[in-house]
Amino acid sequence: MNTRGLRSQLKDSVPVTGMGQHVGAYGVQDTLRSGFSSVKNELLPSHALELSEKNFQLNQDKMNFSTLRNIQGLHAPLKLQMEYRAARQIQRLPFLQSSHLALDTLKGNDESISFEDILNDPAQSEMVGEPHIMVEYKLGLM
Amino acid sequence: MTQTFLNAVFLENAVLEAEVTKLGCNIPAARKTGTTICGVVFKDGLVLGADTRATEGMIVADKNCSKIHYISPNIYCCGAGTAADTEMTTQIISSNLELHSLSTSRMPRVATANRMLKQMLFRYQGHIGAALVLGGVDCNGPHLYSIYPHGSTDKLPYVTMGSGSLAAMAVFEDRYKQDMEEEDAKRLVRDAIAAGIFNDLGSGSNIDLCVITKGRVDYLRPHDMANKKGVRTGNYKYKQGTTGVLTKSVIKLDLEVVEETVQTMDTS
């Protein structure tokens, strides 16, 4: 689980740039796909923990890699990051949920249960994407 | 995937709450457990105690709720604060501890459960309102921890938490002795919870105890019904024939059957 916190790492955390809005043609926000936008919602965090939780996994990884580098040398985090990247590339088609099994095993998440595993089960999701449209969007044909 | 979900949750809930309170409507109060919970270490193990009242603002929501949660066969946890938070937190930690114990092939230790709980509560900076008394017996003997919502923990021989904690602590401070016998420890915890029940509005109803020793757990629910609901002394139903019948007239209504449908139910 968590390792000891390193204050020096926090300054590198990813700043909030936006809630992942879909960008449509001409770089304008895609209202059809992601609804109306509000500048206030994008700039200011709406909950005290929003930034902290958004960056949590990133900060954890940074801490762990830094400790690993100090203990075992540069090769250890490099090898691990390469394996993460490879595991992340194994996906299904766009509208199917990927189980991220390889990535979870590498990160050690297969031995712990947290809120992400209990809440928002993709099998219970109320919305189903249109397979053809989603694949076309992913391939850039839309 | 998980990040976008968490962002959406924060956005929607926090923004909605802000907008609704601006309009003047009150968000319904979360069900708190008010509560007196406590634990004490005795010679061979420890005793955990809790009352059984759950409040929703000024109303009693549950007269007999269970506040002593299972974490592992040798570790139990009492929870004060928001009822949902204590329930879900203890369940998550119980699952994680089981996975951990399977992975290490050893009986889980209380210190592990403590560390998992405090790291999770600190991560959420006190927004998870769960104040816990964690106790268990592992290979190193009996251990008792108190865990506060912001993530600080204390390892002590006797602890109390909840709105009735001061009343219970007063009893402990007066009568606690090191290396007590099991019966003395049970009586002490029972009296401490009773002090919380009778002197604090947020605690009430019965007293639950959980005695944990090496190889044995006694989950006594209820150990003592301190507040039995009263029995009605009189019968207020009128006997048949109390009211005299003066006249009786029967009027037949002519109803004709217009339509009859049969709908078979699949009761398999």
PDB file of all heavy atoms in Angstrom, chain A residues 46-74:
ATOM      1  N   SER A  46     -13.934  21.644  -7.003  1.00  0.00           N
ATOM      2  CA  SER A  46     -15.224  21.774  -6.320  1.00  0.00           C
ATOM      3  C   SER A  46     -15.267  20.996  -5.013  1.00  0.00           C
ATOM      4  O   SER A  46     -16.251  21.010  -4.310  1.00  0.00           O
ATOM      5  CB  SER A  46     -16.366  21.322  -7.231  1.00  0.00           C
ATOM      6  OG  SER A  46     -15.949  20.225  -7.990  1.00  0.00           O
ATOM      7  N   HIS A  47     -14.188  20.316  -4.680  1.00  0.00           N
ATOM      8  CA  HIS A  47     -14.142  19.598  -3.410  1.00  0.00           C
ATOM      9  C   HIS A  47     -12.721  19.709  -2.888  1.00  0.00           C
ATOM     10  O   HIS A  47     -11.771  19.743  -3.650  1.00  0.00           O
ATOM     11  CB  HIS A  47     -14.523  18.134  -3.631  1.00  0.00           C
ATOM     12  CG  HIS A  47     -14.767  17.387  -2.365  1.00  0.00           C
ATOM     13  ND1 HIS A  47     -13.760  16.794  -1.643  1.00  0.00           N
ATOM     14  CD2 HIS A  47     -15.905  17.153  -1.681  1.00  0.00           C
ATOM     15  CE1 HIS A  47     -14.265  16.218  -0.592  1.00  0.00           C
ATOM     16  NE2 HIS A  47     -15.574  16.419  -0.588  1.00  0.00           N
ATOM     17  N   ALA A  48     -12.591  19.743  -1.558  1.00  0.00           N
ATOM     18  CA  ALA A  48     -11.262  19.935  -0.982  1.00  0.00           C
ATOM     19  C   ALA A  48     -10.300  18.829  -1.386  1.00  0.00           C
ATOM     20  O   ALA A  48      -9.099  19.044  -1.478  1.00  0.00           O
ATOM     21  CB  ALA A  48     -11.381  20.007   0.542  1.00  0.00           C
ATOM     22  N   LEU A  49     -10.844  17.633  -1.625  1.00  0.00           N
ATOM     23  CA  LEU A  49      -9.957  16.500  -1.906  1.00  0.00           C
ATOM     24  C   LEU A  49      -9.755  16.259  -3.389  1.00  0.00           C
ATOM     25  O   LEU A  49      -9.084  15.316  -3.789  1.00  0.00           O
ATOM     26  CB  LEU A  49     -10.538  15.229  -1.292  1.00  0.00           C
ATOM     27  CG  LEU A  49     -10.436  15.102   0.209  1.00  0.00           C
ATOM     28  CD1 LEU A  49     -11.074  13.805   0.630  1.00  0.00           C
ATOM     29  CD2 LEU A  49      -8.996  15.118   0.635  1.00  0.00           C
ATOM     30  N   GLU A  50     -10.366  17.129  -4.239  1.00  0.00           N
ATOM     31  CA  GLU A  50     -10.372  16.824  -5.672  1.00  0.00           C
ATOM     32  C   GLU A  50      -8.963  16.716  -6.242  1.00  0.00           C
ATOM     33  O   GLU A  50      -8.611  15.717  -6.857  1.00  0.00           O
ATOM     34  CB  GLU A  50     -11.146  17.912  -6.405  1.00  0.00           C
ATOM     35  CG  GLU A  50     -11.428  17.561  -7.844  1.00  0.00           C
ATOM     36  CD  GLU A  50     -12.277  18.617  -8.511  1.00  0.00           C
ATOM     37  OE1 GLU A  50     -13.108  19.206  -7.818  1.00  0.00           O
ATOM     38  OE2 GLU A  50     -12.082  18.830  -9.705  1.00  0.00           O
ATOM     39  N   LEU A  51      -8.154  17.749  -5.989  1.00  0.00           N
ATOM     40  CA  LEU A  51      -6.790  17.736  -6.525  1.00  0.00           C
ATOM     41  C   LEU A  51      -5.980  16.602  -5.927  1.00  0.00           C
ATOM     42  O   LEU A  51      -5.258  15.897  -6.627  1.00  0.00           O
ATOM     43  CB  LEU A  51      -6.099  19.069  -6.225  1.00  0.00           C
ATOM     44  CG  LEU A  51      -6.500  20.239  -7.113  1.00  0.00           C
ATOM     45  CD1 LEU A  51      -5.815  21.506  -6.637  1.00  0.00           C
ATOM     46  CD2 LEU A  51      -6.107  19.951  -8.547  1.00  0.00           C
ATOM     47  N   SER A  52      -6.134  16.439  -4.617  1.00  0.00           N
ATOM     48  CA  SER A  52      -5.364  15.414  -3.925  1.00  0.00           C
ATOM     49  C   SER A  52      -5.667  14.024  -4.488  1.00  0.00           C
ATOM     50  O   SER A  52      -4.769  13.242  -4.747  1.00  0.00           O
ATOM     51  CB  SER A  52      -5.676  15.478  -2.432  1.00  0.00           C
ATOM     52  OG  SER A  52      -5.431  14.247  -1.835  1.00  0.00           O
ATOM     53  N   GLU A  53      -6.947  13.739  -4.705  1.00  0.00           N
ATOM     54  CA  GLU A  53      -7.311  12.413  -5.222  1.00  0.00           C
ATOM     55  C   GLU A  53      -6.939  12.249  -6.674  1.00  0.00           C
ATOM     56  O   GLU A  53      -6.561  11.164  -7.111  1.00  0.00           O
ATOM     57  CB  GLU A  53      -8.816  12.187  -5.052  1.00  0.00           C
ATOM     58  CG  GLU A  53      -9.207  11.795  -3.653  1.00  0.00           C
ATOM     59  CD  GLU A  53      -8.604  10.465  -3.255  1.00  0.00           C
ATOM     60  OE1 GLU A  53      -8.813   9.482  -3.965  1.00  0.00           O
ATOM     61  OE2 GLU A  53      -7.895  10.429  -2.235  1.00  0.00           O
ATOM     62  N   LYS A  54      -7.041  13.337  -7.439  1.00  0.00           N
ATOM     63  CA  LYS A  54      -6.700  13.257  -8.863  1.00  0.00           C
ATOM     64  C   LYS A  54      -5.240  12.881  -9.031  1.00  0.00           C
ATOM     65  O   LYS A  54      -4.870  12.126  -9.906  1.00  0.00           O
ATOM     66  CB  LYS A  54      -6.963  14.616  -9.503  1.00  0.00           C
ATOM     67  CG  LYS A  54      -6.995  14.609 -11.017  1.00  0.00           C
ATOM     68  CD  LYS A  54      -7.257  16.025 -11.511  1.00  0.00           C
ATOM     69  CE  LYS A  54      -7.039  16.160 -13.002  1.00  0.00           C
ATOM     70  NZ  LYS A  54      -8.032  15.502 -13.807  1.00  0.00           N
ATOM     71  N   ASN A  55      -4.402  13.438  -8.165  1.00  0.00           N
ATOM     72  CA  ASN A  55      -2.965  13.196  -8.289  1.00  0.00           C
ATOM     73  C   ASN A  55      -2.468  12.042  -7.460  1.00  0.00           C
ATOM     74  O   ASN A  55      -1.282  11.760  -7.446  1.00  0.00           O
ATOM     75  CB  ASN A  55      -2.196  14.454  -7.852  1.00  0.00           C
ATOM     76  CG  ASN A  55      -2.540  15.633  -8.709  1.00  0.00           C
ATOM     77  OD1 ASN A  55      -2.847  15.459  -9.872  1.00  0.00           O
ATOM     78  ND2 ASN A  55      -2.491  16.812  -8.132  1.00  0.00           N
ATOM     79  N   PHE A  56      -3.379  11.393  -6.713  1.00  0.00           N
ATOM     80  CA  PHE A  56      -2.923  10.419  -5.718  1.00  0.00           C
ATOM     81  C   PHE A  56      -2.075   9.313  -6.326  1.00  0.00           C
ATOM     82  O   PHE A  56      -0.968   9.047  -5.874  1.00  0.00           O
ATOM     83  CB  PHE A  56      -4.129   9.826  -4.992  1.00  0.00           C
ATOM     84  CG  PHE A  56      -3.749   8.931  -3.859  1.00  0.00           C
ATOM     85  CD1 PHE A  56      -3.294   9.459  -2.670  1.00  0.00           C
ATOM     86  CD2 PHE A  56      -3.817   7.552  -3.984  1.00  0.00           C
ATOM     87  CE1 PHE A  56      -2.922   8.654  -1.625  1.00  0.00           C
ATOM     88  CE2 PHE A  56      -3.448   6.732  -2.949  1.00  0.00           C
ATOM     89  CZ  PHE A  56      -3.007   7.281  -1.762  1.00  0.00           C
ATOM     90  N   GLN A  57      -2.613   8.676  -7.375  1.00  0.00           N
ATOM     91  CA  GLN A  57      -1.887   7.539  -7.959  1.00  0.00           C
ATOM     92  C   GLN A  57      -0.553   7.997  -8.547  1.00  0.00           C
ATOM     93  O   GLN A  57       0.474   7.333  -8.402  1.00  0.00           O
ATOM     94  CB  GLN A  57      -2.760   6.873  -9.039  1.00  0.00           C
ATOM     95  CG  GLN A  57      -2.400   5.436  -9.308  1.00  0.00           C
ATOM     96  CD  GLN A  57      -2.235   4.632  -8.058  1.00  0.00           C
ATOM     97  OE1 GLN A  57      -3.088   4.636  -7.170  1.00  0.00           O
ATOM     98  NE2 GLN A  57      -1.121   3.959  -7.925  1.00  0.00           N
ATOM     99  N   LEU A  58      -0.579   9.156  -9.183  1.00  0.00           N
ATOM    100  CA  LEU A  58       0.660   9.689  -9.766  1.00  0.00           C
ATOM    101  C   LEU A  58       1.712   9.918  -8.693  1.00  0.00           C
ATOM    102  O   LEU A  58       2.882   9.552  -8.845  1.00  0.00           O
ATOM    103  CB  LEU A  58       0.375  11.016 -10.463  1.00  0.00           C
ATOM    104  CG  LEU A  58      -0.277  10.927 -11.836  1.00  0.00           C
ATOM    105  CD1 LEU A  58      -0.959  12.236 -12.145  1.00  0.00           C
ATOM    106  CD2 LEU A  58       0.762  10.626 -12.884  1.00  0.00           C
ATOM    107  N   ASN A  59       1.292  10.553  -7.603  1.00  0.00           N
ATOM    108  CA  ASN A  59       2.240  10.837  -6.525  1.00  0.00           C
ATOM    109  C   ASN A  59       2.763   9.567  -5.882  1.00  0.00           C
ATOM    110  O   ASN A  59       3.951   9.472  -5.562  1.00  0.00           O
ATOM    111  CB  ASN A  59       1.584  11.718  -5.466  1.00  0.00           C
ATOM    112  CG  ASN A  59       1.408  13.135  -5.943  1.00  0.00           C
ATOM    113  OD1 ASN A  59       2.076  13.552  -6.875  1.00  0.00           O
ATOM    114  ND2 ASN A  59       0.507  13.860  -5.336  1.00  0.00           N
ATOM    115  N   GLN A  60       1.870   8.592  -5.696  1.00  0.00           N
ATOM    116  CA  GLN A  60       2.318   7.312  -5.145  1.00  0.00           C
ATOM    117  C   GLN A  60       3.397   6.689  -6.023  1.00  0.00           C
ATOM    118  O   GLN A  60       4.434   6.229  -5.545  1.00  0.00           O
ATOM    119  CB  GLN A  60       1.141   6.332  -5.078  1.00  0.00           C
ATOM    120  CG  GLN A  60       0.175   6.551  -3.957  1.00  0.00           C
ATOM    121  CD  GLN A  60       0.818   6.337  -2.622  1.00  0.00           C
ATOM    122  OE1 GLN A  60       1.060   7.294  -1.899  1.00  0.00           O
ATOM    123  NE2 GLN A  60       1.136   5.116  -2.308  1.00  0.00           N
ATOM    124  N   ASP A  61       3.111   6.664  -7.340  1.00  0.00           N
ATOM    125  CA  ASP A  61       4.092   6.074  -8.262  1.00  0.00           C
ATOM    126  C   ASP A  61       5.407   6.811  -8.215  1.00  0.00           C
ATOM    127  O   ASP A  61       6.478   6.202  -8.179  1.00  0.00           O
ATOM    128  CB  ASP A  61       3.534   6.095  -9.688  1.00  0.00           C
ATOM    129  CG  ASP A  61       2.413   5.093  -9.871  1.00  0.00           C
ATOM    130  OD1 ASP A  61       2.317   4.179  -9.021  1.00  0.00           O
ATOM    131  OD2 ASP A  61       1.653   5.214 -10.848  1.00  0.00           O
ATOM    132  N   LYS A  62       5.332   8.156  -8.180  1.00  0.00           N
ATOM    133  CA  LYS A  62       6.565   8.958  -8.134  1.00  0.00           C
ATOM    134  C   LYS A  62       7.380   8.596  -6.908  1.00  0.00           C
ATOM    135  O   LYS A  62       8.590   8.390  -6.983  1.00  0.00           O
ATOM    136  CB  LYS A  62       6.210  10.444  -8.062  1.00  0.00           C
ATOM    137  CG  LYS A  62       6.013  11.113  -9.367  1.00  0.00           C
ATOM    138  CD  LYS A  62       6.371  12.594  -9.246  1.00  0.00           C
ATOM    139  CE  LYS A  62       6.192  13.304 -10.572  1.00  0.00           C
ATOM    140  NZ  LYS A  62       4.802  13.577 -10.918  1.00  0.00           N
ATOM    141  N   MET A  63       6.703   8.527  -5.761  1.00  0.00           N
ATOM    142  CA  MET A  63       7.383   8.205  -4.503  1.00  0.00           C
ATOM    143  C   MET A  63       8.046   6.839  -4.591  1.00  0.00           C
ATOM    144  O   MET A  63       9.203   6.658  -4.208  1.00  0.00           O
ATOM    145  CB  MET A  63       6.343   8.173  -3.371  1.00  0.00           C
ATOM    146  CG  MET A  63       6.510   9.262  -2.375  1.00  0.00           C
ATOM    147  SD  MET A  63       5.043   9.580  -1.401  1.00  0.00           S
ATOM    148  CE  MET A  63       4.228   8.055  -1.260  1.00  0.00           C
ATOM    149  N   ASN A  64       7.255   5.862  -5.075  1.00  0.00           N
ATOM    150  CA  ASN A  64       7.776   4.496  -5.124  1.00  0.00           C
ATOM    151  C   ASN A  64       8.964   4.386  -6.065  1.00  0.00           C
ATOM    152  O   ASN A  64       9.967   3.737  -5.752  1.00  0.00           O
ATOM    153  CB  ASN A  64       6.677   3.528  -5.559  1.00  0.00           C
ATOM    154  CG  ASN A  64       5.601   3.382  -4.504  1.00  0.00           C
ATOM    155  OD1 ASN A  64       5.845   3.661  -3.343  1.00  0.00           O
ATOM    156  ND2 ASN A  64       4.426   2.966  -4.918  1.00  0.00           N
ATOM    157  N   PHE A  65       8.854   5.036  -7.236  1.00  0.00           N
ATOM    158  CA  PHE A  65       9.963   4.968  -8.200  1.00  0.00           C
ATOM    159  C   PHE A  65      11.206   5.635  -7.639  1.00  0.00           C
ATOM    160  O   PHE A  65      12.330   5.165  -7.830  1.00  0.00           O
ATOM    161  CB  PHE A  65       9.576   5.622  -9.520  1.00  0.00           C
ATOM    162  CG  PHE A  65       8.666   4.768 -10.362  1.00  0.00           C
ATOM    163  CD1 PHE A  65       7.645   5.337 -11.102  1.00  0.00           C
ATOM    164  CD2 PHE A  65       8.825   3.393 -10.407  1.00  0.00           C
ATOM    165  CE1 PHE A  65       6.798   4.558 -11.871  1.00  0.00           C
ATOM    166  CE2 PHE A  65       7.989   2.609 -11.171  1.00  0.00           C
ATOM    167  CZ  PHE A  65       6.967   3.188 -11.901  1.00  0.00           C
ATOM    168  N   SER A  66      10.996   6.756  -6.947  1.00  0.00           N
ATOM    169  CA  SER A  66      12.139   7.468  -6.388  1.00  0.00           C
ATOM    170  C   SER A  66      12.849   6.626  -5.336  1.00  0.00           C
ATOM    171  O   SER A  66      14.084   6.529  -5.320  1.00  0.00           O
ATOM    172  CB  SER A  66      11.641   8.785  -5.795  1.00  0.00           C
ATOM    173  OG  SER A  66      12.550   9.294  -4.899  1.00  0.00           O
ATOM    174  N   THR A  67      12.048   5.981  -4.463  1.00  0.00           N
ATOM    175  CA  THR A  67      12.654   5.106  -3.441  1.00  0.00           C
ATOM    176  C   THR A  67      13.378   3.948  -4.104  1.00  0.00           C
ATOM    177  O   THR A  67      14.501   3.598  -3.723  1.00  0.00           O
ATOM    178  CB  THR A  67      11.556   4.537  -2.522  1.00  0.00           C
ATOM    179  OG1 THR A  67      10.618   5.548  -2.232  1.00  0.00           O
ATOM    180  CG2 THR A  67      12.155   3.991  -1.246  1.00  0.00           C
ATOM    181  N   LEU A  68      12.732   3.369  -5.104  1.00  0.00           N
ATOM    182  CA  LEU A  68      13.321   2.222  -5.812  1.00  0.00           C
ATOM    183  C   LEU A  68      14.632   2.613  -6.475  1.00  0.00           C
ATOM    184  O   LEU A  68      15.613   1.854  -6.474  1.00  0.00           O
ATOM    185  CB  LEU A  68      12.332   1.738  -6.880  1.00  0.00           C
ATOM    186  CG  LEU A  68      12.347   0.271  -7.256  1.00  0.00           C
ATOM    187  CD1 LEU A  68      12.236  -0.588  -6.019  1.00  0.00           C
ATOM    188  CD2 LEU A  68      11.177  -0.008  -8.181  1.00  0.00           C
ATOM    189  N   ARG A  69      14.680   3.833  -7.031  1.00  0.00           N
ATOM    190  CA  ARG A  69      15.902   4.285  -7.691  1.00  0.00           C
ATOM    191  C   ARG A  69      17.023   4.430  -6.676  1.00  0.00           C
ATOM    192  O   ARG A  69      18.164   4.069  -6.936  1.00  0.00           O
ATOM    193  CB  ARG A  69      15.629   5.622  -8.377  1.00  0.00           C
ATOM    194  CG  ARG A  69      16.882   6.148  -9.019  1.00  0.00           C
ATOM    195  CD  ARG A  69      16.694   7.536  -9.560  1.00  0.00           C
ATOM    196  NE  ARG A  69      17.950   7.998 -10.150  1.00  0.00           N
ATOM    197  CZ  ARG A  69      18.029   8.961 -11.043  1.00  0.00           C
ATOM    198  NH1 ARG A  69      16.916   9.550 -11.448  1.00  0.00           N
ATOM    199  NH2 ARG A  69      19.200   9.337 -11.517  1.00  0.00           N
ATOM    200  N   ASN A  70      16.661   4.968  -5.497  1.00  0.00           N
ATOM    201  CA  ASN A  70      17.687   5.153  -4.484  1.00  0.00           C
ATOM    202  C   ASN A  70      18.214   3.835  -3.944  1.00  0.00           C
ATOM    203  O   ASN A  70      19.385   3.719  -3.582  1.00  0.00           O
ATOM    204  CB  ASN A  70      17.131   5.984  -3.311  1.00  0.00           C
ATOM    205  CG  ASN A  70      16.878   7.416  -3.727  1.00  0.00           C
ATOM    206  OD1 ASN A  70      17.488   7.905  -4.668  1.00  0.00           O
ATOM    207  ND2 ASN A  70      15.956   8.075  -3.061  1.00  0.00           N
ATOM    208  N   ILE A  71      17.333   2.837  -3.875  1.00  0.00           N
ATOM    209  CA  ILE A  71      17.769   1.571  -3.294  1.00  0.00           C
ATOM    210  C   ILE A  71      18.475   0.697  -4.319  1.00  0.00           C
ATOM    211  O   ILE A  71      19.561   0.173  -4.064  1.00  0.00           O
ATOM    212  CB  ILE A  71      16.562   0.804  -2.721  1.00  0.00           C
ATOM    213  CG1 ILE A  71      15.915   1.612  -1.598  1.00  0.00           C
ATOM    214  CG2 ILE A  71      16.985  -0.555  -2.198  1.00  0.00           C
ATOM    215  CD1 ILE A  71      14.644   1.017  -1.099  1.00  0.00           C
ATOM    216  N   GLN A  72      17.823   0.510  -5.481  1.00  0.00           N
ATOM    217  CA  GLN A  72      18.342  -0.482  -6.428  1.00  0.00           C
ATOM    218  C   GLN A  72      19.049   0.100  -7.631  1.00  0.00           C
ATOM    219  O   GLN A  72      19.590  -0.636  -8.438  1.00  0.00           O
ATOM    220  CB  GLN A  72      17.182  -1.347  -6.930  1.00  0.00           C
ATOM    221  CG  GLN A  72      16.555  -2.168  -5.812  1.00  0.00           C
ATOM    222  CD  GLN A  72      15.525  -3.134  -6.363  1.00  0.00           C
ATOM    223  OE1 GLN A  72      15.471  -3.366  -7.571  1.00  0.00           O
ATOM    224  NE2 GLN A  72      14.714  -3.674  -5.483  1.00  0.00           N
ATOM    225  N   GLY A  73      19.008   1.413  -7.803  1.00  0.00           N
ATOM    226  CA  GLY A  73      19.653   1.966  -8.986  1.00  0.00           C
ATOM    227  C   GLY A  73      18.642   2.338 -10.044  1.00  0.00           C
ATOM    228  O   GLY A  73      17.478   1.999  -9.950  1.00  0.00           O
ATOM    229  N   LEU A  74      19.100   3.014 -11.096  1.00  0.00           N
ATOM    230  CA  LEU A  74      18.194   3.566 -12.083  1.00  0.00           C
ATOM    231  C   LEU A  74      17.463   2.488 -12.881  1.00  0.00           C
ATOM    232  O   LEU A  74      16.334   2.686 -13.332  1.00  0.00           O
ATOM    233  CB  LEU A  74      18.993   4.472 -13.041  1.00  0.00           C
ATOM    234  CG  LEU A  74      18.164   5.282 -14.048  1.00  0.00           C
ATOM    235  CD1 LEU A  74      17.156   6.133 -13.323  1.00  0.00           C
ATOM    236  CD2 LEU A  74      19.069   6.144 -14.895  1.00  0.00           C
TER     237      LEU A  74
END
